């Protein structure tokens, strides 16, 4: 035991002599158990480490180690799917920060917006990032769908994933729509009033829709009432929008995203001829 | 090359890096010339895209503040009250159709229509590359629906609609007292029959039915006469779905023209719903 210790010390001295103090620290760090438990492969640029970089990282290994030569071409992907996912991540992060400063009740909601503007450090920037990021996500989702259509990438074997994509498109719009109400200003209030008024006209399920009255629908038991938790946009609607926006819809979207990404790989990778 | 050694559990670990042909994928050696390493060739582009988006969004957020209007007031209705911009295509449809169609039926048809696209487009060509020649109908239909009916209506809704949902050019000042006197007629009123009467209702319903009946049968017969291969491959069920969705979509521009040119309000009036 003591022998080994002496040997180690000698090595360190030699190491410092050979590589200098910084070089020795770097060497020791890279060969330590802690480092090699974090990173399973070296840093030299070889085909092997290139592939290890991807498959030994839990986030990067969403990708296969190798992709088809044309897959990274901009003209095939327009980067739209990836950018959409990236905006989703930005929105999740800024959204969590916004939740720290927001009370989902009629009395506080609007003044929390003012608070973000005047009292919270970078609060306005945070809200701006979240708001414009949401608009960007809606736009990029549409462009993503358009690109996938134009390259015919919904054709077999990707039919199912196109369906998942349509679901994600709808949920993106719903996420944006539920978020619209939360500032509790005139803009959001009336936009959501106009939007949910449509639900009144649902055939059979809304009290103003075809056959709604025949089936016993009133303003107090139809589908709009279920959405708003009341017959008009009020405190309950704000709370429901908040919970759908921050918990319900993101969870659902995440589940579909997992399937969407997994299926991309199973169905032959991103873009291009199969 | 790591050594093969027996682990304590007596199992072998599967390691990914063995020189030579892969056992897992038979054609690996054939396609490997056609492949690139994900790192760096794909990932660097993804990171670059992320950085550009982040910078762009940052600049956007620093220069432009998110809108915040007065505190909400249920007793003070703005004129016009607009839905979020991405739904304004649907709100614009309210000019031409009742809410149950514009707000419920059409959105449902759009979502379902999008989802069935891969199952009704049986053309094997154009899978994974750009081509217009090989899929003219699919691309024309989709682009008409997406760019004209969806995007253009959103642009109209955002920029051209003012108080009373009347048309204002972007450079025009909104005049909230502007009144446009227009009388709209139901279809059967053009031939002197009360649209609310039983006869009017039957005629209106007949016309809607005939529209879809002809829409489904005429192209079918034309294609049948030409011994169309496409029709044979589609089969009757797929063909019916394509035709139904196609003519439902075209119902919107048709109704728009009828409304704008002939001031037509409803084609079919019933005690329960109007089309």
């Amino acid at each position: 035991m003591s022998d080994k210790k002496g040997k180690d010390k000698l090595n360190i001295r030699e190491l410092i002599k050979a590589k200098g103090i910084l070089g020795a620290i770097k060497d020791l760090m890279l060969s330590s158990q802690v480092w090699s438990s974090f990173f399973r492969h070296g840093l030299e640029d070889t085909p092997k480490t290139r592939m290890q970089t991807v498959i030994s990282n839990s986030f990067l290994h969403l990708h296969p180690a190798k992709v088809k030569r044309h897959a990274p071409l901009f003209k095939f992907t327009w980067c739209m799917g990836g950018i959409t996912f990236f905006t989703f991540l930005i929105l999740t992060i800024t959204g969590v920060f916004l939740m720290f400063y927001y009370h989902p009740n009629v009395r506080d909601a609007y003044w929390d917006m003012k608070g973000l503007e005047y009292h919270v450090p970078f609060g306005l920037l945070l809200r701006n990032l979240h708001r414009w990021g949401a608009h960007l996500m809606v736009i990029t989702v549409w462009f993503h769908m358009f690109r996938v259509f134009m390259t015919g990438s919904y054709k077999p074997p990707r039919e199912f994933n196109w369906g998942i994509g349509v679901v994600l498109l709808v949920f993106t719009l719903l996420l944006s729509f539920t978020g619209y109400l939360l500032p509790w200003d005139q803009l959001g209030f009336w936009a959501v009033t106009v939007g949910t008024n449509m639900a009144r006209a649902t055939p059979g399920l809304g009290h103003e829709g075809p056959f709604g009255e025949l089936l016993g629908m009133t303003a107090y038991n139809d589908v709009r009432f279920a959405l708003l938790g009341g017959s008009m946009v009020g405190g309950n609607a704000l709370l429901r929008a908040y919970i759908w926006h921050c918990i319900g819809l993101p969870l659902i979207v995440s589940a579909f995203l997992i399937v969407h990404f997994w299926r991309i790989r199973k169905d032959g990778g991103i873009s291009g001829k199969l | 090359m790591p050594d093969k050694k027996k682990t304590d559990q007596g199992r072998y670990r599967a390691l990914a890096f063995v020189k030579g042909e892969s056992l897992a994928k038979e054609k690996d050696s054939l396609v490997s010339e056609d492949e690139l390493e994900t790192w760096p060739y794909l990932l660097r582009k993804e990171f670059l895209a992320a950085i550009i988006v982040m910078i762009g969004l940052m600049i956007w957020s620093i220069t432009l503040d998110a809108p915040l209007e007065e505190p909400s007031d249920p007793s003070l209705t703005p004129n016009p009250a607009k839905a979020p911009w991405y739904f304004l295509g649907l709100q614009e449809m309210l000019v031409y159709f009742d809410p149950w169609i514009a707000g419920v039926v059409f959105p449902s048809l759009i979502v379902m229509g999008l989802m069935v696209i891969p199952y009704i487009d049986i053309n094997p060509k154009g899978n994974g590359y750009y081509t217009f020649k090989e899929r003219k109908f699919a691309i024309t239909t989709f682009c008409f629906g997406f760019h004209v009916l969806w995007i253009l209506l959103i642009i109209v809704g955002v920029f051209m609609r003012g108080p009373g949902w009347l048309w204002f050019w972007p450079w025009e000042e909104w005049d909230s007292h502007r009144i446009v006197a227009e009388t709209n007629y139901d279809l059967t009123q053009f031939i002197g029959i009360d649209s609310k009467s039983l006869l009017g209702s039957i005629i209106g319903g007949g016309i809607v039915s005939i529209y879809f009946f002809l829409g489904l049968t005429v192209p079918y017969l034309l294609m049948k006469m030409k011994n169309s291969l496409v029709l044979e491959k589609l089969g009757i069920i797929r063909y019916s779905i394509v035709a139904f969705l196609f003519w439902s979509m075209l119902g919107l521009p048709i109704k728009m023209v009828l409304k704008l040119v002939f001031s037509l309000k409803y084609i079919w009036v019933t005690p329960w719903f109007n089309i």
Side-chain angles (χ1 to χ4, degrees):
Chain A
M1 193 69 196
S2 60
D3 259 23
K4 211 189 165 203
K5 234 181 181 175
K7 206 181 165 192
D8 270 358
K9 269 182 189 163
L10 199 72
N11 276 345
I12 289 169
R13 284 209 192 94
E14 275 175 8
L15 205 63
I16 291 173
K17 253 184 210 165
K19 300 200 168 178
I21 293 178
L22 284 180
I25 291 174
K26 189 188 161 200
D27 251 39
L28 282 176
M29 203 172 73
L30 289 181
S31 61
S32 71
Q33 188 189 355
V34 175
W35 183 274
S36 58
S37 73
F38 275 45
F39 306 102
R40 295 292 196 198
H41 59 86
L43 295 171
E44 65 279 10
D45 188 22
T46 65
K48 184 179 156 186
T49 47
R50 284 178 172 187
M51 283 159 76
Q52 279 176 317
T53 305
V54 175
I55 63 171
S56 69
N57 181 305
S58 34
F59 300 104
L60 298 185
H61 101 288
L62 269 176
H63 304 87
K66 287 197 277 181
V67 290
K68 297 214 177 69
R69 192 164 282 276
H70 54 66
L73 290 179
F74 182 76
K75 72 164 190 168
F76 272 117
T77 64
W78 301 3
C79 294
M80 278 305 150
I83 289 175
T84 305
F85 181 55
F86 183 62
T87 52
F88 179 73
L89 294 180
I90 295 176
L91 290 168
T92 308
I93 294 165
T94 53
V96 169
F97 279 114
L98 286 171
M99 284 171 81
F100 286 128
Y101 301 105
Y102 181 77
H103 306 81
N105 63 62
V106 173
R107 198 192 52 175
D108 297 328
Y110 181 80
W111 302 109
D112 286 340
M113 295 301 114
K114 289 290 182 191
L116 278 169
E117 191 172 344
Y118 296 113
H119 303 308
V120 179
F122 299 107
L124 187 59
L125 179 66
L126 195 63
R127 192 166 97 80
N128 290 348
L129 280 173
H130 197 75
R131 180 81 169 212
W132 301 134
H135 287 348
L136 185 68
M137 185 171 168
V138 170
I139 294 167
T140 53
V141 161
W142 289 354
F143 271 104
H144 178 53
M145 180 186 74
F146 179 57
R147 192 283 297 171
V148 170
F149 186 89
M150 291 312 282
T151 58
S153 301
Y154 56 84
K155 297 190 174 197
R158 295 192 180 104
E159 311 101 304
F160 179 75
N161 218 11
W162 167 271
I164 298 285
V166 175
V167 172
L168 283 167
L169 168 79
V170 173
F171 275 105
T172 304
L173 295 178
L174 290 178
L175 267 172
S176 194
F177 187 62
T178 48
Y180 221 78
L181 181 64
L182 300 186
W184 204 242
D185 62 344
Q186 280 288 72
L187 189 68
F189 182 89
W190 287 101
V192 170
T193 301
V194 168
T196 51
N197 274 349
M198 297 294 119
R200 276 206 285 236
T202 312
L205 295 174
H207 72 279
E208 284 177 4
F211 311 112
E213 248 174 308
L214 287 178
L215 295 169
M217 289 298 156
T218 67
Y220 302 98
N221 67 0
D222 68 350
V223 63
R224 183 171 185 269
F225 188 89
L227 288 174
L228 296 179
S231 59
M232 61 179 287
V233 179
N236 286 350
L238 180 61
L239 188 62
R240 283 186 189 205
Y242 177 76
I243 292 170
W244 277 117
H245 185 75
C246 301
I247 301 166
L249 294 175
L251 280 179
I252 297 170
V253 166
S254 305
F256 276 97
L257 274 180
I258 292 169
V259 179
H260 199 57
F261 293 158
W262 186 72
R263 268 306 185 107
I264 293 171
R265 283 190 64 175
K266 293 292 155 185
D267 295 343
I270 54 167
S271 81
K273 236 173 177 173
L274 289 174
Chain B
M1 187 80 56
D3 294 322
K4 260 188 190 174
K5 65 179 173 198
K6 223 169 185 176
T7 55
D8 292 339
Q9 294 89 2
R11 288 182 300 178
Y12 289 99
R13 292 184 64 198
L15 294 173
F17 309 105
V18 179
K19 273 185 187 163
E21 285 185 27
S22 162
L23 295 169
K25 209 161 123 192
E26 234 178 284
K27 51 179 189 176
D28 202 349
S29 57
L30 296 174
V31 295
S32 60
E33 279 300 299
D34 202 30
E35 289 181 324
L36 289 173
E37 285 117 347
T38 302
W39 173 263
Y41 299 107
L42 174 59
L43 279 169
R44 70 177 175 199
K45 283 195 182 175
E46 291 183 352
F47 288 138
L48 192 64
I51 290 168
I52 292 170
V53 170
M54 196 68 240
I55 292 172
L57 193 61
M58 213 47 150
I59 293 172
W60 185 2
S61 299
I62 288 170
T63 50
L64 219 65
D65 284 342
L68 184 69
E69 295 184 356
E70 299 296 304
S72 71
D73 184 354
S75 62
L76 196 70
T77 314
N79 185 11
K82 288 189 181 183
W85 63 269
Y86 37 83
F87 286 150
L88 284 188
L90 301 175
Q91 200 175 350
E92 178 66 21
M93 264 196 255
L94 284 175
V95 177
Y96 310 101
F97 285 106
D98 277 0
W100 70 278
I101 299 183
V104 184
V105 174
F106 263 127
S108 310
L109 279 180
I110 292 170
V111 171
M112 289 191 286
L114 284 172
M115 280 179 148
V116 299
I117 282 176
Y119 304 100
I120 55 178
D121 178 5
I122 50 157
N123 178 8
K125 289 177 188 157
N127 187 344
Y129 58 95
Y130 294 101
T131 169
F132 177 67
K133 263 188 200 162
E134 293 171 12
R135 38 196 294 245
K136 281 180 191 151
F137 178 74
I139 288 187
T140 314
T141 313
F142 184 85
C143 287
F144 180 70
F146 182 59
H147 293 293
V148 179
L149 294 186
W150 187 250
I151 304 280
L152 197 67
L153 283 192
I154 285 176
I155 292 172
V156 169
V158 173
F159 297 108
M160 316 293 184
R161 291 299 184 178
W165 210 254
L166 297 173
W167 187 286
F168 289 88
W169 293 102
W171 55 86
E172 265 181 299
E173 212 171 315
W174 282 7
D175 171 14
S176 52
H177 301 294
R178 188 164 109 183
I179 295 166
V180 174
E182 57 172 24
T183 327
N184 289 319
Y185 305 96
D186 297 332
L187 185 66
T188 49
Q189 288 174 319
F190 287 105
I191 48 171
I193 296 169
D194 182 10
S195 56
K196 288 192 184 72
S197 66
L198 183 66
L199 182 63
S201 192
I202 290 171
I203 292 174
I207 286 169
V208 174
S209 308
I210 287 170
Y211 170 76
F212 277 104
F213 179 75
L214 290 181
L216 260 74
T217 50
V218 170
Y220 183 83
L221 293 175
L222 284 176
M223 287 162 91
K224 198 85 182 171
M225 262 165 38
K226 283 190 204 159
N227 281 325
S228 156
L229 267 176
V230 176
L231 185 66
E232 211 171 293
K233 275 193 206 157
L234 266 176
I236 187 72
I237 293 175
R238 281 204 191 95
Y239 169 80
S240 310
I241 295 172
V242 174
F244 172 72
L245 289 172
F246 181 78
W247 292 107
S248 302
M249 185 175 93
L250 281 194
L252 175 61
I254 288 171
K255 185 80 192 281
M256 286 167 84
V257 170
L258 291 176
K259 164 99 187 352
L260 296 174
V261 179
F262 301 104
S263 301
L264 178 108
K265 189 165 168 59
Y266 293 125
I267 294 168
W268 183 12
V269 178
T270 75
W272 310 281
F273 62 86
N274 308 312
I275 291 178

